Amino acid sequence: MELTRRDAVAALSALGVGGTLAGCVTPPGSEPVDVDRLHETLVAAAEVVYPSRVSGIDPFVAAFLEGRLADRAHIEGLEGAVTELDENARVWFDDGFTALSVADREQVLRNVGADEADEDPSGTASERVRYYVVNDLLLALYASPTGGELVGLENPQGHAGGTGSYQRGPNA
Amino acid sequence: MSWDRPPAGSAAPTTDDADRTPVRDADVCVIGAGPAGGIVADRLAEAGREVVILEAGPRFDPDDRLARQERAIRPAYDRPDVWDGDPERDAYESTGERFYPLNHARARGVGGSTLHWQGMVMRLHEDDFASESARGVGADWPIDYDDLRPYYAAAERELGVAGADDNPFAPPREQPHPMPAFPPSYSDSLFAEACDELEIAMHSVPNARNSEGYDDRSACVGYGTCQPVCPSGAKYDATVHVERAEQRGATVIDRAPVQRLEHGPDAIEAAVYATPDDERHRQSADAFVIACGGVETPRLLLLSESSHYPDGLANSSGLVGRYFMDHLFAGTGGVLDEPTRQNHVGFLTSESHQFYDEADAEQAPFKLEFFNYDGPSPVGMALSSDGADWGDDLLAELRSAYGTHIGMGGLVEQLPRKDSYVGLDPSTTDDHGNPVPDVHWTVGDRALETIERVNEIQERILAELGAEITWQAGPEGTGPAYHHMGTTRMGSEPAESVVGPDLRTHDLENCWIASSSVFPTGGAMNPTLTIAALALKAADHVLEAA
Ligand SMILES: Cc1cc2nc3c(=O)[nH]c(=O)nc-3n(C[C@H](O)[C@H](O)[C@H](O)COP(=O)(O)OP(=O)(O)OC[C@H]3O[C@@H](n4cnc5c(N)ncnc54)[C@H](O)[C@@H]3O)c2cc1C
Ligand code: SF4
C-alpha cells in the first residue's frame, strides 16, 4: 500500500513546510545537523520495520522527519540512536547501517536490542533506538490513514479523520 | 489547519517571567482554575468584580497539544506525564481498603482535570437530590432538582453540550441542548439489535464536545484521544472559562499553590501562596471561592487549622474531608465474529439510563455505557515491546488483535460513609513541606452488589449479541471513575455539613466552595455538569453577598 504525502502530513509532519530535506540544517539554537544521514538511516530502518506491502517510504519519512526537526532534544536523541546503529553495523558487518541489506539491517536492530527493549528517550542504547528509530517510525505509520487501513481502521488514534468513519459499517 | 507537530518530549509549560505578586484591591480570590473556578471567575469578572485566580499548576501552551497527544499514545509516557504531573508536587497517600490512584484522577494547571477528562455531561436525576427520602439511604441535598434546573440549562450553554431529547429516563428539561447530539456509532447499531430483543432502551449521550462549531471552537475532528487530550479544542476544557475571565479583566496567577488560608474567627483574610522561586505572597480579598477539586479542597481547609479552628478551617462540624465518594466502574467486554469498528473516536455516543431510578436502599442507581473504543488501539499496540517486533509479523498481529472487540461500561453510585475520607498524612510532605492528602477510600456493599447486577445485564446483552466474553470489571476488579465527591458536604444544619445551600461555609462569612466536594450524595451521573451548575449558583450567591 502506497504511503502518500497525505499520510506523512497526517502522521507527524509540518504541512506547508514543503520542500525537500537536503544537506545540513540548523535546528533552533544549535550545531548543524546532518539531516541527510538521519533521513537515510530512518528510511533504511523503515524498510525493516514497515510491512513489505508499504511503498513510498522515502518521501513519507522525509516529511515526517521535517516535523521532528524543530525540536533540538529530539534530533540529538535521534542522532545518538543513528550513531549506535552505525557503530554496531561497522563492528558486525564492516559497513554503515544504510549500506547493509535489509536482512543485515534487521540483524543490527536486533544486535542493539531494539526488538526486546521498551522505548525510553533517555534510557539505554536499546531503549533509545527503540524510541527514536523503531517506534518513531511505527508511530508515524500506524497513526496515518494508510497505516490504519492496513489494520482495518482508516481513522486511527492520532489522525484527525473526522466524525464520519465511526458511524460507518465495515462494508460502507 | 496547521499540522506542525513537534515530538512528545517538546511539550512544556509556558515559561514566562510573569508577575506573580498579589492583585491589589481584589474583590474575589478564586483558588483553582478547573471548571468550577473558571466558571465562577468568569461570572464574577463579567459582573465587574476584580477577580484573581490562584492556580497551583502551570499554564499550558495550546500549541503543545499534538505533542501531548503523542505522549498519550507512546508507552514511554505514563498518564500523569501527559499534563506534566510532578510526583513531588502531587504526592499523596492511599490508605483505604482500596487503592486510590489519585494522580490518574486529576490534572493540575489552568484547565484543571478537564484537560484530561472524557467530557460526558448529564444532569442528576430528581431522586438523586432526595436519596434519603426517596431511596431510604444516603443524605438529602438541601436543594432539589428544580432549584438547580435553570443553572443546569445555563451550564449546558457554558460548556457547549451536544445532546438530544431522546432519553426517556432523563429529568425534565425545557430547552434543547445547545448542539445536536453526535450520531450513534456503528457498534451502537449492533448493540441496538440486542437491546431491542431484551427491551433495553438506548439513547444518546450528552457530550461537552462540539458536534458543530461552538464558541469559536471547532467541531470534533475525530483524533480519538479525547481522554487525556483533545488537540483540536472540540472537547470542552476549562481553559475556555479561565481565558474568558481574563478577557473580562480577571488576573490568573499560575504555579501559585495556596499553602494556607489566613483567617479570623468569621472570615478569611488572605490566601498565602508560593511561587516557583519559592517566595510567599498574601492575596487578600473580600470574598474567597475555593475550587480545588474534591481532594485538595478539604486538604487546604485541614492545612489551614488555627487555634480557633484546631481541626481545620470551616470544620466546626468535623466533617471536612469525610464522606469521600467516587463512582464505581462496572464493565464487561468480549469479541464478536464480525467487525465492530472500534477506536475511531474517543467518546461515547450511546448509553442506557433505564435502570437508574429503580434504585432503593439495596440497589444503587447506575447507568450503562456502550463503548466505541473497546479493545486495543493498533498504534498503541504497535509501540509496545510485547509480541511481534515489526514488519509483516507485527502487521499480522495487529490485524488479528484489532477489529472484533465490543464492550460495555457502567457507573454505580457509592453511598456517603464517614469512614471514607480525605485526611492529611503528616509523615509525608509535598514539595513545599505540607502534609500530603491521604485518600482513605471505602466503598460499601450496596455499590458492590449493584456492580454484580450491572455485570449481569452486560452479560445478557453481550450474550444476545453472540459475543465471547473476554474481560469483566466486577466487584473485585472495579475501580474509581475519578469523580471526587462529598468531602465538604452541603446541608442546612451546621452540625451536619460544611457548606449551606448557598455554598457558603457555615463557619466563615466570606468563603464559598465550588466543587463536587459539596455533593451530599453522588448519584451515578458524571458530576461535572452539576459542578458547573453549582459554580454558577455560587457566583450568584457571592454577588448577592457583596
Ligand atoms: C480521566 C478523567 C475522566 C473524566 N471524565 C469525566 C466525564 O466524562 N464527565 C464528568 O462529568 N467528569 C469527568 N471527570 C471529572 C472531571 O474532570 C472533574 O469533575 C472536574 O474537572 C472537576 O472540576 P473542579 O474545577 O472542581 O476541579 P479540577 O478540575 O480538578 O480543578 C481543580 C484545580 O485546582 C487546582 N488546585 C488544587 N489545589 C490548589 C491549591 N492549594 N492552590 C491553588 N490551586 C489548587 C488544581 O491544580 C486544579 O487545576 C474525569 C476526570 C478524569 C481524571
Ligand atoms: S475525537 Fe476527541 S480528541 Fe478528537 S477532536 Fe473529537 S473531541 Fe477532540
Side-chain angles (χ1 to χ4, degrees):
Chain A
M1 203 176 276
E2 172 89 16
L3 280 163
T4 61
R5 173 88 193 160
R6 179 178 78 117
D7 291 304
V9 165
L12 306 157
S13 81
L15 181 74
V17 174
T20 50
L21 294 165
C24 296
V25 301
T26 313
S30 63
E31 300 287 300
V33 171
D34 184 350
V35 177
D36 284 346
R37 175 172 176 241
L38 302 183
H39 174 214
E40 281 158 21
T41 309
L42 283 177
V43 170
E47 285 165 4
V48 176
V49 304
Y50 284 0
S52 49
R53 293 160 62 182
V54 170
S55 60
I57 289 177
D58 192 307
F60 175 75
V61 168
F64 156 67
L65 179 59
E66 250 174 29
R68 310 308 249 180
L69 284 177
D71 189 61
R72 179 75 209 162
H74 189 88
I75 289 306
E76 277 170 7
L78 175 57
E79 275 186 316
V82 164
T83 302
E84 296 289 345
L85 293 177
D86 268 337
E87 281 175 2
N88 193 281
R90 290 232 151 72
V91 169
W92 291 93
F93 297 100
D94 220 12
D95 215 338
F97 181 74
T98 53
L100 304 183
S101 69
V102 172
D104 290 350
R105 277 178 250 153
E106 174 157 14
Q107 188 55 51
V108 170
L109 286 168
R110 291 191 192 285
N111 289 345
V112 300
D115 49 346
E116 302 277 318
D118 289 323
E119 64 162 27
D120 183 349
S122 49
T124 61
S126 335
E127 291 163 343
R128 284 183 289 109
V129 173
R130 179 87 199 188
Y131 184 91
Y132 288 106
V133 178
V134 175
N135 273 5
D136 236 28
L137 287 165
L138 292 175
L139 174 69
L141 176 66
Y142 288 111
S144 77
T146 294
E149 268 164 46
L150 287 170
V151 185
L153 165 62
E154 65 277 24
N155 180 24
Q157 264 195 340
H159 173 57
T163 52
S165 74
Y166 84 85
Q167 302 173 46
R168 282 196 294 272
N171 303 317
Chain B
M1 183 192 294
S2 165
W3 282 86
D4 197 346
R5 181 170 199 148
S10 66
T14 51
T15 43
D16 55 37
D17 35 17
D19 176 10
R20 291 196 167 80
T21 54
V23 172
R24 293 177 61 165
D25 300 325
D27 296 315
V28 187
C29 172
V30 176
I31 306 168
I39 288 171
V40 171
D42 177 46
R43 272 295 154 110
L44 297 177
E46 185 185 21
R49 298 298 190 270
E50 182 71 58
V51 177
V52 54
I53 308 178
L54 300 175
E55 166 53 51
R59 195 190 280 273
F60 298 103
D61 184 345
D63 291 341
D64 279 348
R65 288 202 172 186
L66 284 170
R68 295 189 188 282
Q69 177 185 60
E70 190 180 313
R71 290 187 186 177
I73 296 172
R74 296 195 83 135
Y77 294 87
D78 208 1
R79 272 299 146 106
D81 300 332
V82 173
W83 294 103
D84 299 345
D86 174 344
E88 241 195 293
R89 180 195 66 190
D90 306 335
Y92 70 98
E93 194 54 68
S94 167
T95 58
E97 64 184 17
R98 280 167 192 268
F99 177 70
Y100 198 90
L102 183 59
N103 289 332
H104 285 69
R106 61 180 181 180
R108 311 196 69 182
V110 172
S113 303
T114 50
L115 295 167
H116 190 138
W117 78 327
Q118 169 75 21
M120 294 193 256
V121 279
M122 307 78 188
R123 300 181 182 196
L124 287 172
H125 284 200
E126 285 143 303
D127 281 358
D128 290 326
F129 295 89
S131 183
E132 188 176 5
S133 322
R135 298 169 183 154
V137 284
D140 287 355
W141 292 47
I143 58 175
D144 61 19
Y145 178 73
D146 281 339
D147 294 322
L148 217 48
R149 189 166 160 172
Y151 289 109
Y152 269 134
E156 286 165 350
R157 289 192 297 275
E158 289 296 326
L159 269 50
V161 179
D165 201 8
D166 64 342
N167 179 352
F169 315 106
R173 52 181 304 121
E174 46 306 297
Q175 294 147 355
H177 291 87
M179 281 172 280
F182 284 90
S185 65
Y186 174 69
S187 53
D188 289 338
S189 73
L190 300 176
F191 276 120
E193 283 175 39
C195 287
D196 260 0
E197 275 309 306
L198 300 171
E199 298 187 346
I200 294 172
M202 292 171 68
H203 48 77
S204 63
V205 179
N207 271 295
R209 173 179 281 100
N210 294 353
S211 60
E212 56 192 29
Y214 188 80
D215 226 6
D216 296 332
R217 291 180 288 121
S218 92
C220 170
V221 294
Y223 269 120
T225 54
C226 316
Q227 202 186 132
V229 54
C230 170
S232 78
K235 179 188 81 169
Y236 168 83
D237 65 58
T239 59
V240 168
H241 282 101
V242 178
E243 283 164 18
R244 196 185 295 160
E246 280 183 293
Q247 282 157 16
R248 289 176 164 149
T251 305
V252 178
I253 305 181
D254 75 336
R255 283 182 275 177
V258 174
Q259 310 287 297
R260 295 290 184 278
L261 297 168
E262 284 184 0
H263 57 271
D266 302 319
I268 297 180
E269 287 151 11
V272 177
Y273 62 92
T275 56
D277 44 14
D278 212 26
E279 298 210 350
R280 295 289 184 280
H281 293 286
R282 280 179 92 251
Q283 176 65 59
S284 49
D286 297 335
F288 290 80
V289 179
I290 307 177
C292 299
V295 172
E296 295 294 334
T297 292
R299 179 184 180 218
L300 180 58
L301 292 172
L302 294 173
L303 286 172
S304 300
E305 36 109 63
S306 63
S307 55
H308 194 87
Y309 292 104
D311 299 325
L313 187 57
N315 195 18
S316 297
S317 63
L319 297 178
V320 167
R322 294 278 160 190
Y323 301 115
F324 175 71
M325 297 175 279
D326 204 322
H327 295 127
L328 283 305
F329 176 76
T332 311
V335 286
L336 292 182
D337 54 10
E338 58 176 309
T340 54
R341 308 270 302 155
Q342 299 294 283
N343 279 306
H344 290 249
V345 287
F347 58 90
L348 304 186
T349 40
S350 292
E351 287 195 331
S352 178
H353 299 175
Q354 176 162 331
F355 305 95
Y356 197 91
D357 286 312
E358 287 177 4
D360 57 21
E362 274 81 47
Q363 180 177 304
F366 65 88
K367 62 162 180 154
L368 297 171
E369 304 169 337
F370 301 92
F371 285 168
N372 289 332
Y373 42 76
D374 196 57
S377 155
V379 59
M381 202 178 154
L383 305 189
S384 139
S385 59
D386 302 335
D389 301 324
W390 46 58
D392 290 335
D393 293 348
L394 175 62
L395 177 59
E397 188 174 279
L398 298 179
R399 287 174 64 92
S400 84
Y402 171 80
T404 57
H405 287 264
I406 190 137
M408 295 186 63
L411 290 190
V412 175
E413 177 188 71
Q414 80 157 105
L415 288 172
R417 300 162 56 105
K418 235 176 156 176
D419 63 356
S420 186
Y421 62 83
V422 172
L424 297 179
D425 175 7
S427 68
T428 319
T429 50
D430 68 9
D431 55 347
H432 290 99
N434 295 311
V436 302
D438 171 16
V439 183
H440 189 98
W441 186 39
T442 311
V443 171
D445 291 341
R446 177 175 177 259
L448 298 178
E449 281 157 20
T450 306
I451 291 174
E452 282 175 19
R453 161 116 167 96
V454 177
N455 286 158
E456 275 162 32
I457 299 172
Q458 292 169 334
E459 284 168 18
R460 265 171 49 217
I461 295 172
L462 289 166
E464 184 66 36
L465 266 167
E468 177 201 335
I469 290 179
T470 54
W471 67 270
Q472 187 159 72
E476 295 295 311
T478 184
Y482 305 156
H483 305 149
H484 309 146
M485 302 172 287
T487 48
T488 61
R489 59 163 35 184
M490 183 195 327
S492 308
E493 292 299 323
E496 288 164 21
S497 55
V498 179
V499 301
D502 58 357
L503 301 156
R504 178 164 32 185
T505 56
H506 293 300
D507 285 343
L508 302 160
E509 64 196 20
N510 70 343
C511 176
W512 286 261
I513 294 179
S515 168
S516 44
S517 62
V518 307
F519 292 11
T521 306
M525 296 299 175
N526 310 56
T528 308
L529 189 71
T530 307
I531 296 173
L534 290 172
L536 292 166
K537 182 168 150 60
D540 277 356
H541 294 307
V542 174
L543 289 172
E544 281 161 16

